Amino acid sequence: MITKIAITDDHVMVLKGIASMLEGTPELKIVGLYENASQTLEKVGVDQPDVLLLDINLPDINGIDLSKQLLKSYPDLKIIALTNFEDTSFVKRMLKNGVHGYLLKNTDKLELITAMKTVLSGELFLQKDIQQQLLNQTSKSTLDNGLKPNLTRREQDVLVAISEELTTQEISEKLFISPKTVETHRMNIMSKLGAKNSVGIIKIAMEKQLL
């Protein structure tokens, strides 16, 4: 099955560079190269890409607002932010808007393809450096109006492990609990956060400052 890719970036050299890097990959097809948000909004419906690689810093509409508009019109579109911005506030805002992945432009072809496969399978993809920054970021003590879900210490451990993209088996081995117990904790976390899957768990946990 061929995956259709579109790329939005206001630097033509970057556009051509990414397209060139991906060309020759049998399972991928570049269907659109867009230089700004207006072009993207105009052509995405025509080109119908499966995945959009989206720069945040665009001349007309920033990628954060653009991603929100696109996903409202095209809920099945998978968007991966591909940017030089590694500030966690950008990452959180993009994820809050429903973006499926976040990569820095220093990525390589293998990681880019892995990211696309991951988001197409319904999972979230964060570059390791970004993941580490989010995990290391000290949660500032802010008033949460009592909205922060009350997770047990073990549920918090499982939550962190989920954010590290560990499998149930790996979490089981890391925390010395059975896979069945891991799944029970996962279901409890999903219930407390109101999430439907692992992607939702991570997004809501970051919004609630649990990660």
Side-chain angles (χ1 to χ4, degrees):
M1 184 177 169
I2 301 293
T3 299
K4 294 184 289 184
I5 311 296
I7 309 163
T8 299
D9 199 296
D10 60 328
H11 294 95
V12 177
M13 292 293 288
V14 174
L15 268 181
K16 289 182 176 176
I18 299 168
S20 173
M21 182 167 71
L22 294 175
E23 274 172 4
T25 307
E27 67 269 26
L28 302 179
K29 181 183 180 184
I30 308 289
V31 294
L33 299 178
Y34 318 133
E35 293 179 33
N36 52 47
S38 301
Q39 272 188 24
T40 307
L41 289 166
E42 183 186 332
K43 294 184 177 179
V44 157
V46 178
D47 297 332
Q48 297 187 327
D50 301 304
V51 179
L52 173 67
L53 303 176
L54 176 64
D55 188 15
I56 292 179
N57 191 20
L58 297 171
D60 42 2
I61 306 172
N62 71 63
I64 296 169
D65 294 334
L66 177 59
S67 62
K68 193 173 186 178
Q69 286 187 46
L70 286 168
L71 290 169
K72 191 174 181 181
S73 301
Y74 310 102
D76 293 333
L77 177 66
K78 303 297 184 186
I79 299 179
I80 299 175
L82 189 59
T83 175
N84 288 321
F85 291 106
E86 50 184 310
D87 189 314
T88 52
S89 64
F90 285 109
V91 184
K92 289 180 179 180
R93 286 168 70 191
M94 289 294 273
L95 293 176
K96 192 173 181 181
N97 281 357
V99 164
H100 308 88
Y102 202 101
L103 281 170
L104 297 178
K105 287 183 180 176
N106 64 4
T107 188
D108 57 29
K109 181 177 179 178
L110 181 61
E111 186 171 45
L112 196 48
I113 291 172
T114 301
M116 289 189 278
K117 286 180 178 175
T118 302
V119 301
L120 286 167
S121 73
E123 293 295 316
L124 186 71
F125 187 93
L126 295 175
Q127 197 166 23
K128 292 295 180 189
D129 293 350
I130 299 292
Q131 252 186 59
Q132 204 55 51
Q133 281 188 48
L134 288 170
L135 291 171
N136 290 344
Q137 190 182 46
T138 50
S139 182
K140 295 173 185 174
S141 56
T142 54
L143 289 172
D144 56 24
N145 300 321
L147 295 175
K148 187 178 285 188
N150 185 23
L151 300 184
T152 65
R153 192 176 71 179
R154 186 52 96 194
E155 285 168 356
Q156 185 68 39
D157 291 340
V158 172
L159 174 61
V160 170
I162 291 170
S163 75
E164 292 171 347
E165 296 185 27
L166 299 183
T167 63
T168 297
Q169 187 59 42
E170 287 168 341
I171 297 172
S172 164
E173 291 167 5
K174 180 178 179 179
L175 301 179
F176 303 104
I177 54 179
S178 72
K180 188 174 180 181
T181 303
V182 172
E183 285 306 309
T184 299
H185 286 312
R186 189 194 298 269
M187 294 302 291
N188 288 341
I189 294 167
M190 284 169 62
S191 174
K192 288 182 179 181
L193 297 186
K196 296 178 182 177
N197 51 35
S198 295
V199 178
I201 286 175
I202 295 170
K203 280 161 63 175
I204 295 169
M206 287 196 296
E207 286 170 25
K208 303 282 187 187
Q209 297 190 329
L210 293 167
L211 284 171

